[in-house]
Amino acid sequence: DSGVTQTPKHLITATGQRVTLRCSPRSGDLSVYWYQQSLDQGLQFLIQYYNGEERAKGNILERFSAQQFPDLHSELNLSSLELGDSALYFCASSVPPGLAGGEQFFGPGTRLTVL
Amino acid sequence: QQPVQSPQAVILREGEDAVINCSSSKALYSVHWYRQKHGEAPVFLMILLKGGEQKGHEKISASFNEKKQQSSLYLTASQLSYSGTYFCGTEIQGGSEKLVFGKGTKLTVNP
C-alpha cells in the first residue's frame, strides 16, 4: 500500500459523458501527478500540481482538466468522453516539487471504460 | 521523445541475470526506473541523475551513460518476485519536469 488513494476503482460510462476521478496523496506529499495508461500508448504523463498550483503539463487533452485543493487532494475531470479515453488512470504523489528529488508513489488507479 | 526500451520481453529462469536498456534521442537530466506487476500500480526502483553514480538496491542496479543518453537496469540472480513490466521514465535536460516513459520491458522469471 503506497498511501495514495484513488476513487472510484472502476468507472463505466457512455461516450459524451463527464466523469471526475479523485486522488488523495500520501500524508505530507505536496506534489500530485496524473498519468494515463493504455495498452497502445503505455504510461503517459498528463499533469502535475504542487501545493495547489499547476507545475507541469504533459499530453493532456483540452477535454481534460485537473485541480488540487487546499487539503491537497486532486481531481481529474474528463469530459465529452470518447471510446479512446478508456484506460487506467493513475495518480502519484511525492514530497518535492521536482522530478529529480524523489520517488513517486502511485495509487491503485481508476479503470475507466467508455462504452 | 519517448525513450526506447529493449528488449520488449525477456524470459528467465530463477537465478539468471538480465539487462534492460533505455535509450533516448534527447539529452537527459534524469532517468527513473519503475516496476509494475500485472494489475498493480508502478513501484519505484531508482533514480539516476546526470553526473550521478551507478545506483544499486540489493540485486538490482542501474547505470546512466550521459554521452550515449542511455540507461541500463541490471537484475542479477533473478527471483520469482522480479517478474513484471519494467519502465524507464526520462526527464530531458532543461528541467522539463515531465517524465516520459518507455513502452516497458516484460520480464518473466520462471522456477
Side-chain angles (χ1 to χ4, degrees), chain B residues 6-7 12-13 21 27 30-31 33 40-41 49 54-56 60 64 89 97-99 101-102 105:
Chain B
S6 62
L12 300 174
R13 288 209 176 273
N21 298 304
S30 66
V31 180
W33 287 96
E40 298 181 9
L49 304 179
Q54 181 167 337
K55 295 250 184 181
I60 299 176
F64 179 17
E97 302 281 356
K98 303 172 192 176
L99 265 188
F101 283 94
T105 295

Side-chain angles (χ1 to χ4, degrees), chain B residues 40-62:
Chain B
E40 298 181 9
V43 173
F44 172 81
L45 293 175
M46 62 190 74
I47 294 174
L48 297 108
L49 304 179
K50 180 177 181 295
E53 300 174 356
Q54 181 167 337
K55 295 250 184 181
H57 177 65
E58 295 183 345
K59 295 176 182 175
I60 299 176
S61 62

Side-chain angles (χ1 to χ4, degrees), chain A residues 33 35 37 40-41 43 45 48 55-58 88 90 97-104 106-108, chain B residues 2 29-30 32 34 36 39-44 47 49 87 90-91 96-103:
Chain A
Y33 303 79
Y35 292 91
Q37 186 174 39
D40 56 340
Q41 295 292 328
L43 196 59
F45 167 68
Q48 180 206 355
R55 184 172 174 88
K57 217 167 187 177
L88 195 51
F90 285 108
L99 288 172
E103 66 182 278
Q104 295 181 30
F106 280 74
Chain B
Q2 183 178 39
Y29 179 69
S30 66
H32 304 232
Y34 284 80
Q36 185 178 27
E40 298 181 9
V43 173
F44 172 81
I47 294 174
L49 304 179
F87 293 96
T90 54
E91 181 190 12
S96 69
E97 302 281 356
K98 303 172 192 176
L99 265 188
V100 181
F101 283 94
K103 293 195 173 182

